Every structure is written in structure tokens, then in C-alpha cells.
Amino acid sequence: MSVQEFDELFEKVSNWGRWGPDDERGTLNYITGAHVRAAAELVRSGRSISLAIPINKVAGPDNPNPATHLMVQTYDIGADAAPQFAMDYLGCACHGDCHTHIDALCHIAYKGKLYNGKPLTSVTSQGARVMDITAFAHGIVGRGVLLDIPRLRGVKWLEPGEAVTTEELEAAEKAEGVRLKDGDIFLFRTGHHRRRLEQGPWNNGYDGEGKAGLHATTMLMLHERKVAAFLPDGDGETVPSNVEGVAYPIHALQIGAMGMACADSLQFEELVRLCEEEKRWEFMVVATPLRLPGGTGSLFNPIAIF
Amino acid sequence: MSVQEFDELFEKVSNWGRWGPDDERGTLNYITGAHVRAAAELVRSGRSISLAIPINKVAGPDNPNPATHLMVQTYDIGADAAPQFAMDYLGCACHGDCHTHIDALCHIAYKGKLYNGKPLTSVTSQGARVMDITAFAHGIVGRGVLLDIPRLRGVKWLEPGEAVTTEELEAAEKAEGVRLKDGDIFLFRTGHHRRRLEQGPWNNGYDGEGKAGLHATTMLMLHERKVAAFLPDGDGETVPSNVEGVAYPIHALQIGAMGMACADSLQFEELVRLCEEEKRWEFMVVATPLRLPGGTGSLFNPIAIF
Amino acid sequence: MSVQEFDELFEKVSNWGRWGPDDERGTLNYITGAHVRAAAELVRSGRSISLAIPINKVAGPDNPNPATHLMVQTYDIGADAAPQFAMDYLGCACHGDCHTHIDALCHIAYKGKLYNGKPLTSVTSQGARVMDITAFAHGIVGRGVLLDIPRLRGVKWLEPGEAVTTEELEAAEKAEGVRLKDGDIFLFRTGHHRRRLEQGPWNNGYDGEGKAGLHATTMLMLHERKVAAFLPDGDGETVPSNVEGVAYPIHALQIGAMGMACADSLQFEELVRLCEEEKRWEFMVVATPLRLPGGTGSLFNPIAIF
Amino acid sequence: MSVQEFDELFEKVSNWGRWGPDDERGTLNYITGAHVRAAAELVRSGRSISLAIPINKVAGPDNPNPATHLMVQTYDIGADAAPQFAMDYLGCACHGDCHTHIDALCHIAYKGKLYNGKPLTSVTSQGARVMDITAFAHGIVGRGVLLDIPRLRGVKWLEPGEAVTTEELEAAEKAEGVRLKDGDIFLFRTGHHRRRLEQGPWNNGYDGEGKAGLHATTMLMLHERKVAAFLPDGDGETVPSNVEGVAYPIHALQIGAMGMACADSLQFEELVRLCEEEKRWEFMVVATPLRLPGGTGSLFNPIAIF
């Protein structure tokens, strides 16, 4: 795809202005109370499962900024007779390929503009002035639909560089008996984390081996279907990029054009077992970013409830 | 209450051994699939609301370890023509009176033992070996019941040092038309955060003005009712302590004896408005601590869904 | 002093262009090999003394960003028979009133320009591109001269708001039998830290009680004398400012106009005892900022050698 | 060398009790005022040079815990007309193979004892109670002597696993016309950092390719010569270890037995050029750890002054 085609696609899927000039919620606006109630009605067995990777403290080619987890106090302090406390500290730059996190709508700019046309000065050294992560503070709650591409293909994972098309997404829908619709939370699985569990970390950046993701054209489908949020293993990007000269085209389209609540680096290894057991690929999803004023994103631990 | 009476109470409400010697979930074991389904059935309007205080970056007498929130990158880097990214970093010692967090079951020891009789060496300088916060990784999901004591009393907040009794909890149940029962998530409101919003931070520690909380004897009620989790504004403690010579008696009983999933420092200022509008004090609660191996607790953002 | 007078003063003491358009060292250029040798010749007793405040981990009105000092590992890990290690972590935003630190020349801008006319874009979210703290990497070594104003006045410390004039600096020179000259490192004592030790932390900012410091006009003297570096207790500033509408005029003049290596928040409580014992107020000084690429300053521990 | 031989060597070079039961300074006690004065007399040209590696922010096989360097504020905040400030934050676990740091005497224990027989409980989760890094707060000042082994051998660097013997140290002394004596600061060069500059990071740990260092028997020489401090590139250790079953024997002997002030991970690439130019391998050294109460070590930036 050429830059020109990309820019046309950007225009097509753009939601700029759709929910007013000061919109902070983007495609989450698709989720109404009725959607939430319908999602809650999917709860039957009451089983819930985490979609997060355990917080990663080990540096690697895909984890240049490991989390810092240190003890503040252990039980070597204080008298045994009185209550004693163990406490710790966590420091993390959340936007990394091994940290399960969600992006705020202020996280990306394309051609000098953020979602809804906001200027680059929307984020300063003191944090985001608009569209920070607190826009999602009351939680992302809705129907989750997992499209499991390795399951469709009969492989463990997609290899770096492979791009999933609209046709393949639709084939996955058929295979699972689900259909992405308005207000849905789309869980997209390439097997990224499974590959890491089995083969170890790899340099998945633009200067390395790359990763599997969506083809840029799938954004038309997500736009038409009015998908509200996107939760991938990996980060949705195909690396190398399908778009000539544009790195991170999926982020640019999803967040920058559509204003979509997008997460990165989830894992579905526990989820897929549950889906097979329950024979369904739809469930209630609850995701609650930390309430961080000025934040461009947040570590989080989204869950699926069956 | 004397130490001897306290120790007797500790025995009475103890769940040590109840769910086996290697139990990691404590009173969360009370929550069955049926409880989760019943909680989901409470979702009607689909409105959700955060129970977390915005992450507090400002030092104060009740916030000696403010969170460190710094930008990793802003839009002064990169060319406007390509996608650019804004990213940040968050560091926090979560166990503070201004940080909405949940404690792991390893967080407290009394008389040299953790919940279920585990030894002090269960936590080392490398983190917790057992009963870390990942025991709650798949989320705390259930029916939440708010007992709003200031509402019952017709005051804005309880003053520091005031202890709420079982009788008063029961009176609040009557006033709100709810009843705490097995598997419930108990939201306890003293107005702690409301007081802070209106009067500013205060030294609420044992060397200062103190805070309002539960009387130690209420633990009998929570134990009999088989409450699964505890979410207070403040931290549940009455300071000064009702128990002679024992600081943090509520933590010791709830976490140390009962193995209860306990959070600290929530805020219900948005929730109480929703409760009044919906005329109900029960709702679905979803709380998802970060999946931090070895962690003694976690910042989190629990939500209520109506 | 009016803004206009201030701007005239700025021009008078400016060293912009003096050492070329790409100068990184400012007034440190005054220190030649001969100055260093002469400083070394001041070493007689061989006693050395720290000029740093112990790193401050406690939040207070003058320490909103306390240092984070946590253990990485203690001796609860590993077998006693093999070597075991204790390790820790330090995190700090150095530019605080309780952290002994040195500023890089990129630390301040006045009227949109840094020292030597460099643009604001010299510092980005990725750090300083020019005039970072590594410009001082090979150490600041020279003759230190302490002018102890409380000693001159016969008081323990100067009170907040008091400004020291050129006349008073000259009187201190006479009283101590020293004279600031080219290439000197000027240690300026108001007793700031002594006051803190005796009376506790205070809000010394522009919105609080203020602090004692230099009068802006003393910059003419420092400029004429060709002082190479400035090490104060406090930070040299008189608060409230002597200059109408300009906060931090001393920083603006010293760093912004003169390109002077300036530190903040030292303590001379151990030094003054040594000076009295040795009956001299000049000595060798060695100050070595951390070698932090892109850094706008550094924690450090300068010492005086007698 | 067997463990038994190692333990005998430990006894031979032990300084336990030598300077009293509460000694905090170990071999720094060898440095008298006369030593400092003599060191200052070595200052002739007045040139000074850093011995530190620039602070390393990039994860790698030898840098699993990269430093966190983030901006606190840049010039995108504030009005151009008033002074504006750029500020940053540095966080680092100093005891890493790519961070130039010094160890406190509490940093290592062997057979359950620290230097001078202190117990393991000397360090808790709240920091070191004795022999913390503030014991060196007033600086390490003395004569530095560089023994440059690659120069002696005519190679760029020693290869991992190579151990330098006493004979080779003596040969280097002869080749350079110097002799290590009481109170000296011993700079030991294997070319570790040169190798890294030319060939990139490598896994130099016990599970990897290893590193070049001292043979354990050289400790007898350092003990007899009454060396006061040790500044190596690398960390002095030969990996794999020369001592069967004992990792880090050099640290155990130097710090644990002798109480020697030991640094790790310096670089001498700038120093060696200066030595050649000045045709001397002795100079004044000043090293000033941060004044960190409870600290087990410190980032620092030692310098040589010629």
C-alpha cells in the first residue's frame, strides 16, 4: 500500500468530529448501556480469566525497558509480636512489547495531528492535557469476541511478517460462529505470546525479525462494524509494515483516525483453553486502566468473564 | 479491647486450614460461579463507575511516597510526517494511604505468621514466594454492597477516631435495603476521601490525627456472613486503635486471620451519586489487580457496574 | 530592581560567544592547569570533607520529590556458604531543594534562549542535545573559597528573604582574609541547611516563606572576578525575588547569561568547623557530577580537601 | 584453588579487628594526611579525566537493569518571557556490570559474615545498618597507580577467562616505573571496556563467556602492599572463577576479608591516552560516592588529576 492509499484509508475510517470537537472516548461511544447489559448476560459459568502477561522484569530484545519491582519492606523489620508488613514498589514504562497495556487516545500523532485533529502540544513534558488515559477511567465493559487466527489456520502461531486480511477475519468469524458488531471489543490472536513462550523473546521491531498482525485494509471492516475496542496479542501491527514508508500504520488508523481504545501485548493462552471448553468465543470483557491523570497509557489486567 | 481479647477474636475468625494448607485465595473461595452469574444479573442500566482515587503525585502528610509519573517521550521527537508517539512512565509504592490499591494475602504477619500459618520467610527481598498478588490475577468479580455510614448518620464524613460497630453496619443494611451475604464484596464508606477533598490531606497515622474505621468486633459479622472481599475508603482501620497495643488490628484480622482480599484507599464519591440515582446499593463489582509475580499488592482501578 | 534593569544586568554579565558558539563549559573555561595546580598546593593536612546533604528520602514542604531508595537484594537470598550480595536502587529527580546537585548549562532558559543563545529545542523529551551535564564529566577542580555570611554577621543563619550584597561579600572576604579571583569556586553560605537542621523543613518557595540568597547585583562582582563555579547552601536565590516579575534571577544570570557551573543545596556544617580549626577559608575543591548523557544536572558529592 | 585453600587465603588477608570492632573504613584507614598531601603533589599539568562509563540506559546481556533517565520537565512548559527550567530524573540499581559504581563494605558476605565479622542482619529491607556507603562520604583521595595489563602484553584487551597473576602485576609495575605501596589506590586495567567498545556487549556472567580479572592469589600482594582502594575496569573477577565452587572470590577477599574500598566497571580509555602523553602511571585520584544513608554502593564518577 502506498502512502497515498494509506492517507485515503485514513480519511475513510476517520471519526474526527463524529462525537464532537472535545470527544475523549472515541469508539467507546459505540458502547451503550444496552451493550453492557447484553455483555453481562453472557456470564453463565462465572469463570473469569486474565488476558495479561505477568509483569515482565527481565530485559530482552523485545523488552528493553523491563519493569522495576523492588521490595519496600519485608518481615526483617519490626517485632514479631506486632503486626508487620511486606510492601513493594513497581516502576514501568508501560508502552513496551512485553507489558500488557492500553494506549490513551493521545498516544499517537500522524502528520502532526492527534485523533480528532488535536495538536501535538496536547502532550507536554508534564503529561497529556487532553485525551489522557483517565478518559477510560470508568472501565471498558462490553462483549468480547476472540478471533483466533492460528486456530483457523491450524498452526501454533503466525510467523513474523504475516498480515491477516479481512477475508481471514471473516473466515475466523464463521469458524467460531460469531460476528463482530457494533460496540464489540475485538480480541485478535496471532499467537504472538505463544511463540514467545515456546521460542523465547525475539527482536520484533522494524530493525529485526518483525511480527504478525493485521493488514491495514482490515480497518475498513472494523470501521464498518463499529468495533469499540481492540485487544491483540502482539500489538496488531504487521512488521515490516504493509504500507510503504509508514511505520505503525495500524496504530495510526485505529487510534489516530478512528479514536479506538487499543491495547497492546495481551496473551490469550489461558483464554483459548476456556473458549474450547465453553465452546464459545464471545464473553463479557472488563478492562480497567489505572486512573492516571495525564497518562498516555496504562498497565492493566483485562479479564474475560464466561 | 485487650490484646488477649484480640487474640481470642483472631482465633474465632481464623480461616487457617479451611481451604487447605496451600490456599492462595482465602475468602475469595466463597465466590462461586453462581455468585458471579448473580452479580452479572445486577447489570441493568449498564453504567459503570470507577472506585479509584486518581493516582496521586503530590507529597503530603498522608502521601509520603507520591507516585512518580514522567514522560518517556513527547511529540518533540520525530518528524511530523511519520507517526509519532507519546509515552510515559509510572513508579509507585502502592501501599500508601493515597494510592487506591489491593493487598496480597502475604502483606501482613501477626505474631510471626502470615495467613494460613505461613512463615515470615514467605516474603524475601526478591518478592513474595507464596500468596502474592497474582493469586487474584483472574479478577475479583462479584456482588458489591455499599454500606454508606455517613449517609446513615446524616453527616458528610466520620471524624478521625470514630469506630463503626456491627449494630451500625446492620442499621446501614436496613436503611439501604440490602444485606451482606456469602461471597459478597463489601464496600465500606466512612467519607474518608470526601473529607480529604473538602479539608485537604491530614496526618491520619498513629502519630497524628487518626482516621475513622471499623471496630474490631465487626470482624465477627464479616466472618459469619462469609464476606469475600473488602473495599473501603480509608483502609478500614480506626486510628487510634480500639485494641490496646495492636496497631492495624483490622488488617491483622481480615488478611492475617481470615485471608480476606482487602483493598485500601478507594473513593466512593462518584458511586454514591449513582447509588442515589439508581436507588440501590448493590451492583456488580470487577477488580483486577496487576499480574505482578512476587507482588505484595497492586495499584488497581475497581469498578462498579449497574 | 525592575525587569529592564535586570535585562541590562543580563547583558553586562553575559558570556555569550566568549568561548565560541559551541562552548559547553562556560565559566569553567576560566580554570587553567595552573589554577588546578595551585589548588592542589592548598592540600596540607590532607583532611577532606563532604559538602553534600545526605540523600533525602523524606517528603516535606521543601522536598516534594523525595529520593526513592530501595533494596534490590538483601542477605535473605542465597546460601550462607557462598558469597552473598546486598544491593540497592536509587531514583531521584535531582533538581530539588533538598538534593545536593549541580545544574547543567542547559538547565535554564530566559526569554526563550539558553546560555550562549541556544534555542529551547536544545532539550527534548529525550534529554539535552547540547550543554548536558557530561560537559562537566572530567570534574570541577580548583580553589574553593567559602564566604560565610552568618559568621560575618554573628548569627546562626540568614532569615528567609534576606539578600546578600556585594559589600557584604567583600566584608566577608576581609573577615576571612581571602579574595575571590579568576578560576575560583565560590562557596556561598547563608546557613540555609543549619536552619533546616535546627528548625525543620519549611516551604521556601515563591508561594511560601522564601529563602535567603544573593542580591542580583552581586553578579557584577562574580563576573568581574571571573568566578568559575558557584556552590551555595540553599540555591543562591533570594525569595521573594529582588527583581520585579522575575523568579530565579540568580539562576538566569549565572547559568543563562554567564554560563556558570552552579550547584544547589549543599551544606557546609562540617566544613565550617574544619575552616575554624584550620583557620583558613580556602582549600582544594573537587566536584564530579555523574556522567549522564543528556542530563540536565546530577546528584553529586563535592568535597573540600585541606 | 580449592575451597580450603581459599579459606586459608581469606584468613591470611583478613583485616577483621585490625581497626577495631566498629570500623567502617577498612583499608581506607591506610590513607593518612601525608598520603593525601603526597597525592596532591602529583598534580602538575592540572589535567583531569573521568574514569566512569557514561551512564548506560540500554539493556544488554551485561546490562540487565539499564538506568532509567527521564525528563521531569522540558521547555514546552512555561512562558518564554520568564525563566524556564529543564529537569530530569535518574533511577538506577548501581551494582551492574555496565554501571560505574563503588561497593560499600556491607555489599558482600561470605560464610554468613560481612567484613569485620558483622552479621547478615546488618542489612535489612530498609538498608544497611552499618558499613553503608556513607562511610566513604568524605571522599576517597590518594595516589592512584594504573597497572595496564594489555599494555604490558601488547594486546588490546585480555580475553574472558584470563587471570592476571602477581608476577604479571609486578611486571607491569616495572614496565611503567611505578610501585604499589601503602595507601595507594590501585587502578587495574584488563581492557574490559575497550573490548565492549569494539565488540559490543557480551554475557560476561558465570553462565556466559566470562571475563578477565585477577587471580585470587594476587590478594596476598595487595594485602602486603597495604593497598587502600581498588578501581578496575570489569570488576576484578576472573570468570569462570579460579576458586572451585566459589563465585566472586575477589570480592569476597577484597571486601569481605580485607575491608577494601572496591569499585566496579570503570573505564580507562581516556586515562591511558593521558598516561602515555604524560609518561606516567601515577596521579591524584578523587572518588566521591553519593552520600546515601543505608546504601550498599553508589554510582560515582572518579577522576584522575595529573
Side-chain angles (χ1 to χ4, degrees), chain C residues 37 44 48 50 52 55 57 75 80 84 86 88 90 92 106-109 111 137-138 247 270 289 291 293 296 301, chain D residues 37 44 48 50 52 55 57 75 80 83-84 86 88 90 92 106-109 111 137-138 270 289 291 293 296 301:
Chain C
R37 193 167 55 244
R44 287 165 219 155
S48 64
S50 169
I55 287 178
K57 312 169 190 179
Y75 292 122
D80 285 9
Q84 295 169 276
D88 55 8
L90 178 65
C92 193
C106 67
H107 171 56
I108 191 169
K111 291 196 169 174
H138 300 302
E270 294 150 302
R291 199 168 188 175
T296 66
N301 179 13
Chain D
R37 194 168 54 243
R44 286 166 218 154
S48 65
S50 168
I55 286 178
K57 312 168 189 179
Y75 293 120
D80 285 8
Q84 295 169 276
D88 54 9
L90 177 66
C92 193
C106 67
H107 171 55
I108 191 169
K111 290 196 169 176
H138 300 301
E270 294 150 303
R291 199 169 188 173
T296 65
N301 179 12

Side-chain angles (χ1 to χ4, degrees), chain A residues 33-34 36-37 40 43-46 48-55 57 68-69 71-72 74-75 80-95 106-112 114 120 123-128 136-139 141 246-248 251-252 267 270 284 286 288-297 299-301 303 305, chain B residues 33-34 36-37 40 43-46 48-55 57 68-69 71-72 74-75 80-95 106-112 114 120 123-128 136-139 141 246-248 251-252 267 270 284 286 288-297 299-301 303 305:
Chain A
V36 174
R37 193 168 55 244
V43 176
R44 288 164 218 154
S45 66
S48 65
I49 201 80
S50 169
L51 309 176
I53 300 172
I55 288 178
K57 313 169 188 179
T68 300
H69 178 222
M71 297 309 290
V72 168
T74 66
Y75 293 120
D80 285 8
Q84 295 169 275
F85 293 90
M87 302 187 288
D88 54 9
Y89 172 95
L90 177 66
C92 193
C94 72
H95 293 288
C106 66
H107 172 56
I108 191 169
Y110 181 64
K111 291 196 169 175
L114 285 67
L120 295 181
V123 181
T124 74
S125 58
Q126 305 292 281
F136 306 158
H138 300 302
V141 183
V246 179
Y248 296 97
H251 276 69
Q267 62 81 24
E270 294 150 302
M284 186 183 196
V286 179
T288 59
L290 295 175
R291 199 167 185 173
L292 176 59
T296 65
L299 290 180
F300 75 153
N301 179 13
I303 60 171
I305 313 174
Chain B
V36 175
R37 192 169 55 243
V43 176
R44 287 165 219 153
S45 67
S48 65
I49 201 80
S50 168
L51 310 176
I53 300 171
I55 287 178
K57 312 169 189 179
T68 300
H69 179 221
M71 298 309 291
V72 168
T74 66
Y75 293 120
D80 284 10
Q84 296 169 275
F85 293 90
M87 302 187 288
D88 55 9
Y89 172 96
L90 177 65
C92 192
C94 71
H95 294 288
C106 67
H107 172 56
I108 192 169
Y110 181 63
K111 291 197 169 175
L114 284 68
L120 295 181
V123 180
T124 75
S125 58
Q126 305 292 281
F136 307 160
H138 300 301
V141 184
V246 179
Y248 296 97
H251 276 69
Q267 62 80 25
E270 295 149 302
M284 186 183 195
V286 179
T288 59
L290 294 176
R291 199 169 187 174
L292 176 60
T296 66
L299 289 179
F300 75 154
N301 179 13
I303 60 170
I305 314 174

Side-chain angles (χ1 to χ4, degrees), chain B residues 185-252:
Chain B
I185 298 166
F186 171 25
L187 284 71
F188 172 63
R189 182 169 185 266
T190 63
H192 186 101
H193 191 64
R194 166 63 60 91
R195 188 181 194 271
R196 193 179 199 273
L197 287 175
E198 295 199 12
Q199 300 198 341
W202 74 96
N203 179 350
N204 57 34
Y206 282 91
D207 60 336
E209 297 172 57
K211 50 190 155 188
L214 290 170
H215 195 280
T217 48
T218 58
M219 292 303 107
L220 284 169
M221 174 185 169
L222 302 194
H223 185 59
E224 284 157 15
R225 299 285 188 89
K226 297 188 178 172
V227 166
F230 179 64
L231 305 185
D233 61 352
D235 63 357
E237 300 287 347
T238 307
V239 177
S241 169
N242 316 124
V243 184
E244 220 168 327
V246 179
Y248 296 97
I250 303 300
H251 276 69

Side-chain angles (χ1 to χ4, degrees), chain A residues 32-41 284, chain B residues 37-48 143 278-284 304-306:
Chain A
T32 66
H35 288 98
V36 174
R37 193 168 55 244
E41 284 166 4
M284 186 183 196
Chain B
R37 192 169 55 243
E41 283 166 6
L42 293 173
V43 176
R44 287 165 219 153
S45 67
R47 298 158 88 188
S48 65
R143 184 177 82 132
E278 301 243 352
K279 287 285 167 257
R280 54 173 170 140
W281 285 261
E282 60 167 10
F283 31 78
M284 186 183 195
I305 314 174
F306 281 81

Side-chain angles (χ1 to χ4, degrees), chain D residues 153-182:
Chain D
R153 292 195 189 178
V155 298
K156 281 186 170 182
W157 55 74
L158 277 58
E159 291 297 339
E162 294 185 337
V164 174
T165 62
T166 302
E167 291 66 37
E168 201 163 16
L169 293 179
E170 290 173 340
E173 288 183 322
K174 268 185 209 157
E176 297 173 4
V178 291
R179 183 177 163 83
L180 275 175
K181 64 176 190 54
D182 59 291

